Amino acid sequence: MNLPAVENYTITTPDGLELRLAHYRGGDKGPVVVVHGAGVWSGMFLLPTVDEHFIQYLVNNGYDAWLLDWRASIQLPLSQFTLDQAAENDFPAAIAFIRERTRADSVQAVVHCAGASAFFMALAAGYLRDVRCVSCSQIALHYAAPAATEIKCMLNLGDVFADLGVDYLSATEDPRHPIFQKMFSAVVDMTNHECNSTVCHRITFMYGHLYRHERLNTATHDRLSEQFGACNMTAFRHLAQIVKRGTASKFDYGATENLRRYGVAEPPSYVRPEHLRIPITFVSGELNQCYLPVSTERTFQWLQSVNDPTLYRRHVTPGYGHIDNFMGATANRDCYPLFLEQLEACPA
């Protein structure tokens, strides 16, 4: 089935950044906003290399799909930002725009990785009261990472790179920081041997193993450079802080600046349940080596303990990793139905 004609929009956030929304009219079940992670873009849901990508799947099932390129998108100018800034600005602006265009009372959401992290921060802070249900991929408010990621976080590599003047890491080489770029590629090629792709090796260093190679077809693997790009160092630093704490919190500027900004020495936590009393489904890949599956289990169990437990569901996809839940060759059969299940349970 061919996709309907896309309608492209540019929206401006309260803090002055331009974001993009792409609208695919699929039926009267929407609207559904779909949110990517960091260092990628909305194209991860539009892969031309699979038989049925995620947006086709939503449209085929009668949903009005809205793809958001938020400030972490590689299709937008690179900027330094904390997840707090995205939570406060990007998602409220996008939801307001979608509701205005569609005249819908509420919006459903499918959110992934760092996009899910920031989206749940916005939910927990009460910024998204017009979202009626969420399908969440891989991470929400509790964090457990593989040992290699924990070591990089404990070593504060983001701070080290920032002190060296490196303000981003990228899956692909580019003219900036040419000496660092060549060294980065050489190191990751020496330490990763699953395939011959330097882009793939750089992705693994940046995020951990994001996918099972056997889940990606050759065409998708060969075109990873189209889906992955630069991620700013401030976002990396914020994610590292959260991994070390184990739960989502505001950016840690240090005790003095925290006192000035927040009125307390420690950054405030987002683990607050009052605005999360909506239907939520959590989906984790069984073999996820970016954020361990226990991450969503902890958020799921916490929410069940503090709110009506019937609001929440959780699934683990056997044999899948992190992003192959969307980019895998057979994800439309193995994974997409788990996200759809939540949307179908929350009709307009």
Side-chain angles (χ1 to χ4, degrees):
M1 175 181 176
N2 293 326
L3 280 178
V6 61
E7 301 167 0
N8 292 301
Y9 301 96
T10 299
I11 63 174
T12 302
T13 64
D15 61 345
L17 287 187
E18 289 190 346
L19 313 180
R20 298 178 187 173
L21 275 167
H23 179 205
Y24 297 87
R25 296 179 182 270
D28 58 4
K29 293 183 180 180
V32 179
V33 63
V34 183
V35 179
H36 60 78
V40 289
W41 67 298
S42 63
M44 64 171 280
F45 303 110
L46 293 163
L47 287 183
T49 52
V50 296
D51 292 337
E52 183 183 37
H53 57 62
F54 188 62
I55 297 304
Q56 284 175 316
Y57 183 83
L58 289 181
V59 168
N60 290 348
N61 280 280
Y63 282 89
D64 193 39
W66 290 79
L67 270 180
L68 173 64
D69 278 281
W70 59 291
R71 68 185 65 199
S73 171
I74 63 173
Q75 297 297 306
L76 302 177
L78 183 71
S79 63
Q80 297 296 320
F81 65 85
T82 68
L83 298 186
D84 307 320
Q85 291 170 303
E88 185 174 352
N89 294 280
D90 295 18
F91 307 115
I95 297 300
F97 182 87
I98 293 168
R99 288 192 60 228
E100 180 182 358
R101 296 293 302 186
T102 63
R103 298 184 179 180
D105 292 332
S106 61
V107 176
Q108 296 173 286
V110 179
V111 296
H112 174 71
C113 191
S117 298
F119 197 89
F120 268 80
M121 291 175 181
L123 279 172
Y127 300 144
L128 302 178
R129 301 189 186 193
D130 298 322
V131 173
R132 74 174 181 273
C133 77
V134 182
S135 287
C136 172
S137 173
Q138 313 305 329
I139 197 71
L141 295 176
H142 294 77
Y143 295 70
T149 300
E150 288 188 337
I151 291 170
K152 285 184 281 190
C153 293
M154 293 304 296
L155 292 174
N156 297 316
L157 288 186
D159 295 343
V160 172
F161 287 139
D163 290 343
L164 292 173
V166 178
D167 56 357
Y168 69 97
L169 289 178
S170 178
T172 57
E173 290 192 14
D174 58 54
R176 293 185 62 191
H177 313 299
I179 296 175
F180 173 81
Q181 295 287 348
K182 291 186 181 299
M183 291 175 59
F184 185 22
S185 290
V187 169
V188 298
D189 283 342
M190 285 191 296
T191 55
N192 293 275
H193 307 287
E194 287 182 294
C195 65
N196 296 319
S197 168
T198 299
V199 171
C200 182
H201 300 164
R202 289 168 71 110
I203 291 168
T204 298
F205 177 88
M206 291 168 66
Y207 306 111
H209 290 280
L210 285 192
Y211 39 79
R212 305 294 297 178
H213 274 72
E214 63 270 21
R215 291 294 180 187
L216 301 190
N217 62 35
T218 301
T220 299
H221 189 267
D222 288 347
R223 296 171 66 172
L224 288 174
S225 61
E226 298 175 7
Q227 300 302 323
F228 293 87
C231 181
N232 77 88
M233 202 59 65
T234 304
F236 271 125
R237 291 171 62 202
H238 195 178
L239 288 167
Q241 292 172 5
I242 292 171
V243 168
K244 287 194 288 185
R245 281 191 170 83
T247 55
S249 60
K250 289 184 176 289
F251 189 85
D252 189 350
Y253 294 93
T256 301
E257 183 62 13
N258 288 343
L259 280 168
R260 190 185 73 82
R261 288 173 177 262
Y262 311 133
V264 290
E266 290 293 319
S269 173
Y270 283 102
V271 183
R272 306 194 301 270
E274 58 268 22
H275 298 299
L276 297 171
R277 297 187 182 107
I278 59 173
I280 301 172
T281 288
F282 301 96
V283 180
S284 278
E286 175 194 24
L287 305 176
N288 190 339
Q289 288 296 300
C290 178
Y291 295 112
L292 300 177
V294 71
S295 302
T296 57
E297 182 179 0
R298 290 173 182 169
T299 304
F300 172 69
Q301 291 179 345
W302 166 69
L303 283 172
Q304 284 199 313
S305 72
V306 294
N307 291 334
D308 179 356
T310 64
L311 289 171
Y312 311 109
R313 309 178 190 186
R314 181 174 176 268
H315 301 287
V316 176
T317 52
Y320 276 81
H322 182 80
I323 204 170
D324 41 350
N325 268 336
F326 290 107
M327 295 175 64
T330 59
N332 62 324
R333 299 198 301 268
D334 303 332
C335 307
Y336 295 177
L338 303 178
F339 299 102
L340 179 68
E341 177 187 285
Q342 181 63 83
L343 303 180
E344 296 280 87
C346 298

